[in-house]
Amino acid sequence: AVAATFLAGVVGGLLLGRARTRRSGGERAQIVNLEDATSLDLDTGAVRSVQRADLVIDQEALRDIWTPMHLERLARTYWRFLTRATLGVIRVHYTEEERYVVLLVRPLKLLSFRAPEYEMTPTRGMVRWRIESGLLVAKHGRSGGGYLQIEVRQAPSDDPARAQLHVEVEVANFHPAIASGLGRWLYNVTQSRIHVVVTHGFLRSLARLDLAESRVGRLGGG
Protein backbone atom coordinates (compact mmCIF):
# COMPACT_ATOMS: atom_id res chain seq x y z
CA ALA A 1 0.00 0.00 0.00
CA VAL A 2 2.79 2.41 0.89
CA ALA A 3 4.63 1.57 -2.35
CA ALA A 4 1.52 2.14 -4.42
CA THR A 5 0.87 5.51 -2.78
CA PHE A 6 4.50 6.55 -3.27
CA LEU A 7 4.40 5.57 -6.96
CA ALA A 8 1.20 7.56 -7.42
CA GLY A 9 2.81 10.61 -5.88
CA VAL A 10 5.94 10.35 -8.03
CA VAL A 11 4.08 9.78 -11.29
CA GLY A 12 1.44 12.38 -10.45
CA GLY A 13 4.15 14.93 -9.69
CA LEU A 14 5.90 14.24 -12.98
CA LEU A 15 2.66 14.61 -14.91
CA LEU A 16 1.66 17.86 -13.23
CA GLY A 17 5.14 19.30 -13.71
CA ARG A 18 5.16 18.54 -17.41
CA ALA A 19 1.64 19.93 -17.79
CA ARG A 20 2.76 23.25 -16.30
CA THR A 21 5.87 23.34 -18.49
CA ARG A 22 3.95 22.74 -21.71
CA ARG A 23 0.96 24.95 -20.99
CA SER A 24 2.15 27.95 -23.00
CA GLY A 25 2.97 28.26 -26.70
CA GLY A 26 2.81 25.90 -29.66
CA GLU A 27 -0.98 25.50 -29.71
CA ARG A 28 -2.64 25.22 -33.14
CA ALA A 29 -6.15 24.63 -31.81
CA GLN A 30 -8.06 25.18 -28.58
CA ILE A 31 -9.24 22.74 -25.92
CA VAL A 32 -12.42 23.74 -24.05
CA ASN A 33 -15.01 22.14 -21.76
CA LEU A 34 -12.64 19.68 -20.09
CA GLU A 35 -14.67 17.30 -17.89
CA ASP A 36 -14.25 14.13 -15.87
CA ALA A 37 -16.70 11.47 -14.67
CA THR A 38 -15.57 8.38 -12.74
CA SER A 39 -17.86 5.85 -11.10
CA LEU A 40 -17.62 2.46 -9.41
CA ASP A 41 -20.29 -0.22 -9.62
CA LEU A 42 -20.73 -1.30 -6.01
CA ASP A 43 -22.15 -4.69 -7.00
CA THR A 44 -19.49 -5.80 -9.48
CA GLY A 45 -16.53 -3.61 -8.52
CA ALA A 46 -16.18 -2.43 -12.14
CA VAL A 47 -14.89 1.08 -12.79
CA ARG A 48 -16.02 3.41 -15.56
CA SER A 49 -13.96 6.54 -16.08
CA VAL A 50 -14.60 9.10 -18.82
CA GLN A 51 -12.58 12.24 -19.54
CA ARG A 52 -13.88 14.49 -22.29
CA ALA A 53 -13.15 17.81 -23.95
CA ASP A 54 -13.97 19.80 -27.08
CA LEU A 55 -11.27 20.62 -29.61
CA VAL A 56 -11.89 23.79 -31.64
CA ILE A 57 -9.96 23.64 -34.90
CA ASP A 58 -9.87 25.28 -38.35
CA GLN A 59 -12.09 23.53 -40.90
CA GLU A 60 -9.14 23.17 -43.26
CA ALA A 61 -7.02 21.52 -40.58
CA LEU A 62 -9.88 19.15 -39.78
CA ARG A 63 -10.13 18.06 -43.42
CA ASP A 64 -6.41 17.31 -43.41
CA ILE A 65 -6.54 15.03 -40.35
CA TRP A 66 -9.95 13.36 -40.70
CA THR A 67 -8.59 10.12 -42.16
CA PRO A 68 -8.13 6.55 -40.90
CA MET A 69 -4.36 7.12 -40.90
CA HIS A 70 -4.69 10.05 -38.50
CA LEU A 71 -7.07 8.07 -36.28
CA GLU A 72 -4.31 5.49 -35.90
CA ARG A 73 -1.83 8.27 -35.21
CA LEU A 74 -4.15 9.68 -32.54
CA ALA A 75 -4.09 6.27 -30.84
CA ARG A 76 -0.29 6.23 -30.92
CA THR A 77 -0.21 9.80 -29.57
CA TYR A 78 -1.98 8.65 -26.40
CA TRP A 79 0.71 6.06 -25.66
CA ARG A 80 3.50 8.48 -26.55
CA PHE A 81 2.08 11.04 -24.14
CA LEU A 82 1.91 8.45 -21.36
CA THR A 83 5.60 7.58 -21.78
CA ARG A 84 6.79 11.16 -22.13
CA ALA A 85 4.72 12.45 -19.23
CA THR A 86 6.19 9.83 -16.89
CA LEU A 87 9.74 10.39 -18.19
CA GLY A 88 9.88 6.81 -19.42
CA VAL A 89 8.83 5.22 -16.13
CA ILE A 90 5.79 3.78 -17.92
CA ARG A 91 6.36 2.36 -21.41
CA VAL A 92 4.35 0.66 -24.13
CA HIS A 93 5.42 -2.43 -26.08
CA TYR A 94 3.81 -3.56 -29.31
CA THR A 95 3.19 -6.94 -30.92
CA GLU A 96 0.92 -7.85 -33.81
CA GLU A 97 -1.76 -9.11 -31.42
CA GLU A 98 -1.28 -7.13 -28.18
CA ARG A 99 -0.14 -3.96 -26.47
CA TYR A 100 1.69 -4.06 -23.11
CA VAL A 101 1.95 -1.19 -20.64
CA VAL A 102 4.98 -1.85 -18.44
CA LEU A 103 6.73 -0.28 -15.48
CA LEU A 104 10.30 0.25 -16.75
CA VAL A 105 10.86 -3.31 -17.98
CA ARG A 106 8.71 -5.79 -19.85
CA PRO A 107 8.24 -8.43 -17.11
CA LEU A 108 6.39 -5.82 -15.01
CA LYS A 109 3.26 -5.73 -17.16
CA LEU A 110 0.80 -3.30 -15.62
CA LEU A 111 -1.79 -3.80 -18.34
CA SER A 112 -2.05 -5.84 -21.51
CA PHE A 113 -4.54 -5.17 -24.29
CA ARG A 114 -5.62 -6.89 -27.46
CA ALA A 115 -4.71 -5.20 -30.73
CA PRO A 116 -6.78 -2.05 -31.30
CA GLU A 117 -10.11 -2.02 -33.10
CA TYR A 118 -10.89 0.98 -35.33
CA GLU A 119 -14.14 2.48 -36.59
CA MET A 120 -14.34 5.49 -38.91
CA THR A 121 -17.33 7.30 -40.44
CA PRO A 122 -17.65 10.77 -42.01
CA THR A 123 -18.40 12.26 -38.56
CA ARG A 124 -17.02 9.80 -35.99
CA GLY A 125 -13.76 7.99 -35.28
CA MET A 126 -13.12 5.41 -32.56
CA VAL A 127 -10.24 3.22 -31.41
CA ARG A 128 -10.73 0.59 -28.71
CA TRP A 129 -8.24 -1.63 -26.85
CA ARG A 130 -9.81 -4.57 -25.00
CA ILE A 131 -8.19 -5.29 -21.63
CA GLU A 132 -6.69 -8.76 -21.26
CA SER A 133 -4.71 -8.87 -18.01
CA GLY A 134 -1.89 -7.25 -16.03
CA LEU A 135 -0.78 -6.47 -12.49
CA LEU A 136 -3.36 -3.68 -12.22
CA VAL A 137 -6.28 -5.94 -13.17
CA ALA A 138 -8.11 -8.11 -10.63
CA LYS A 139 -8.18 -11.81 -11.56
CA HIS A 140 -11.95 -11.87 -11.97
CA GLY A 141 -11.75 -8.94 -14.38
CA ARG A 142 -9.27 -10.39 -16.85
CA SER A 143 -10.56 -10.98 -20.38
CA GLY A 144 -13.89 -9.85 -18.98
CA GLY A 145 -15.01 -7.21 -21.44
CA GLY A 146 -13.13 -4.22 -20.05
CA TYR A 147 -11.67 -1.74 -22.50
CA LEU A 148 -9.91 1.58 -23.08
CA GLN A 149 -11.40 3.69 -25.85
CA ILE A 150 -10.79 7.02 -27.57
CA GLU A 151 -13.72 8.45 -29.50
CA VAL A 152 -13.81 11.62 -31.63
CA ARG A 153 -17.07 13.09 -32.94
CA GLN A 154 -17.66 16.12 -35.10
CA ALA A 155 -20.05 18.54 -33.39
CA PRO A 156 -22.03 21.52 -34.75
CA SER A 157 -20.14 24.82 -34.84
CA ASP A 158 -21.48 28.37 -35.05
CA ASP A 159 -18.37 29.53 -36.89
CA PRO A 160 -18.19 28.33 -40.53
CA ALA A 161 -14.38 28.66 -40.47
CA ARG A 162 -13.95 26.63 -37.30
CA ALA A 163 -14.89 23.03 -36.51
CA GLN A 164 -15.56 21.47 -33.13
CA LEU A 165 -14.54 17.94 -32.21
CA HIS A 166 -15.82 16.22 -29.09
CA VAL A 167 -13.09 13.91 -27.75
CA GLU A 168 -13.71 11.25 -25.09
CA VAL A 169 -11.30 8.85 -23.44
CA GLU A 170 -13.19 6.08 -21.67
CA VAL A 171 -12.20 3.13 -19.50
CA ALA A 172 -15.17 0.82 -18.98
CA ASN A 173 -15.83 -2.41 -17.09
CA PHE A 174 -12.34 -2.27 -15.59
CA HIS A 175 -11.75 -4.25 -12.38
CA PRO A 176 -8.73 -2.75 -10.56
CA ALA A 177 -6.63 -5.11 -8.48
CA ILE A 178 -5.97 -2.40 -5.88
CA ALA A 179 -9.66 -1.83 -5.22
CA SER A 180 -10.27 -5.56 -5.02
CA GLY A 181 -7.45 -6.43 -2.66
CA LEU A 182 -6.60 -3.27 -0.69
CA GLY A 183 -9.69 -1.10 -0.73
CA ARG A 184 -11.46 1.42 -2.89
CA TRP A 185 -10.01 4.43 -1.07
CA LEU A 186 -6.46 3.43 -2.00
CA TYR A 187 -7.49 2.95 -5.63
CA ASN A 188 -9.09 6.41 -5.71
CA VAL A 189 -5.96 8.20 -4.45
CA THR A 190 -3.46 6.22 -6.53
CA GLN A 191 -4.35 4.49 -9.79
CA SER A 192 -7.55 6.44 -10.46
CA ARG A 193 -5.88 9.76 -9.75
CA ILE A 194 -2.97 8.97 -12.06
CA HIS A 195 -5.31 7.95 -14.88
CA VAL A 196 -7.34 11.18 -14.66
CA VAL A 197 -4.22 13.39 -14.57
CA VAL A 198 -2.69 11.53 -17.54
CA THR A 199 -5.85 11.75 -19.60
CA HIS A 200 -6.45 15.44 -18.87
CA GLY A 201 -2.86 16.12 -19.90
CA PHE A 202 -3.33 14.12 -23.09
CA LEU A 203 -6.51 16.00 -24.00
CA ARG A 204 -4.82 19.36 -23.42
CA SER A 205 -1.87 18.27 -25.57
CA LEU A 206 -4.16 17.78 -28.58
CA ALA A 207 -4.28 21.56 -29.00
CA ARG A 208 -0.85 21.28 -30.64
CA LEU A 209 -2.17 18.83 -33.27
CA ASP A 210 1.14 16.97 -32.96
CA LEU A 211 0.06 13.43 -33.81
CA ALA A 212 2.69 10.71 -33.47
CA GLU A 213 3.64 8.41 -36.30
CA SER A 214 2.07 4.98 -35.94
CA ARG A 215 4.34 2.13 -34.83
CA VAL A 216 2.27 -0.45 -36.75
CA GLY A 217 0.79 1.39 -39.71
CA ARG A 218 -2.30 -0.78 -40.14
CA LEU A 219 -4.26 2.15 -41.59
CA GLY A 220 -1.48 3.60 -43.72
CA GLY A 221 0.27 5.58 -41.00
CA GLY A 222 3.73 4.06 -41.43
Side-chain angles (χ1 to χ4, degrees), residues 23-49:
R23 192 167 294 168
S24 61
E27 294 187 351
R28 299 178 56 199
Q30 183 182 7
I31 288 289
V32 297
N33 303 326
L34 189 65
E35 298 178 354
D36 167 61
T38 301
S39 60
L40 176 68
D41 188 314
L42 297 179
D43 294 326
T44 66
V47 170
R48 181 174 184 264
S49 183

Side-chain angles (χ1 to χ4, degrees), residues 54-72:
D54 293 323
L55 176 66
V56 181
I57 181 177
D58 289 344
Q59 289 281 3
E60 183 177 354
L62 173 61
R63 288 192 293 270
D64 289 341
I65 66 172
W66 196 259
T67 68
M69 178 187 74
H70 285 89
L71 178 62
E72 186 175 26

Side-chain angles (χ1 to χ4, degrees), residues 30-188:
Q30 183 182 7
I31 288 289
V32 297
N33 303 326
L34 189 65
E35 298 178 354
D36 167 61
T38 301
S39 60
L40 176 68
D41 188 314
L42 297 179
D43 294 326
T44 66
V47 170
R48 181 174 184 264
S49 183
V50 181
Q51 289 72 46
R52 57 178 68 89
D54 293 323
L55 176 66
V56 181
I57 181 177
D58 289 344
Q59 289 281 3
E60 183 177 354
L62 173 61
R63 288 192 293 270
D64 289 341
I65 66 172
W66 196 259
T67 68
M69 178 187 74
H70 285 89
L71 178 62
E72 186 175 26
R73 290 180 64 178
L74 174 66
R76 168 59 188 155
T77 301
Y78 177 82
W79 299 122
R80 182 185 68 178
F81 181 85
L82 177 61
T83 299
R84 287 182 173 180
T86 60
L87 303 181
V89 173
I90 296 176
R91 305 174 185 180
V92 181
H93 292 267
Y94 295 75
T95 71
E96 289 296 324
E97 302 297 329
E98 295 179 287
R99 305 290 184 269
Y100 300 105
V101 178
V102 306
L103 183 65
L104 293 176
V105 293
R106 190 164 182 171
L108 298 177
K109 294 180 182 177
L110 301 179
L111 291 166
S112 67
F113 301 86
R114 299 177 192 171
E117 305 164 11
Y118 295 96
E119 294 179 13
M120 188 88 185
T121 74
T123 59
R124 175 180 176 269
M126 186 274 291
V127 55
R128 175 181 292 169
W129 299 269
R130 298 188 183 274
I131 298 171
E132 277 291 299
S133 62
L135 297 175
L136 298 182
V137 186
K139 289 184 178 180
H140 62 272
R142 296 176 182 177
S143 302
Y147 61 84
L148 165 66
Q149 174 178 294
I150 301 175
E151 182 180 14
V152 184
R153 299 193 306 272
Q154 297 186 30
S157 174
D158 296 330
D159 185 347
R162 303 280 279 175
Q164 182 167 298
L165 297 178
H166 184 72
V167 186
E168 285 193 358
V169 181
E170 176 184 8
V171 174
N173 200 30
F174 172 62
H175 296 260
I178 292 178
S180 175
L182 298 173
R184 294 167 184 165
W185 174 85
L186 183 60
Y187 168 74
N188 290 335

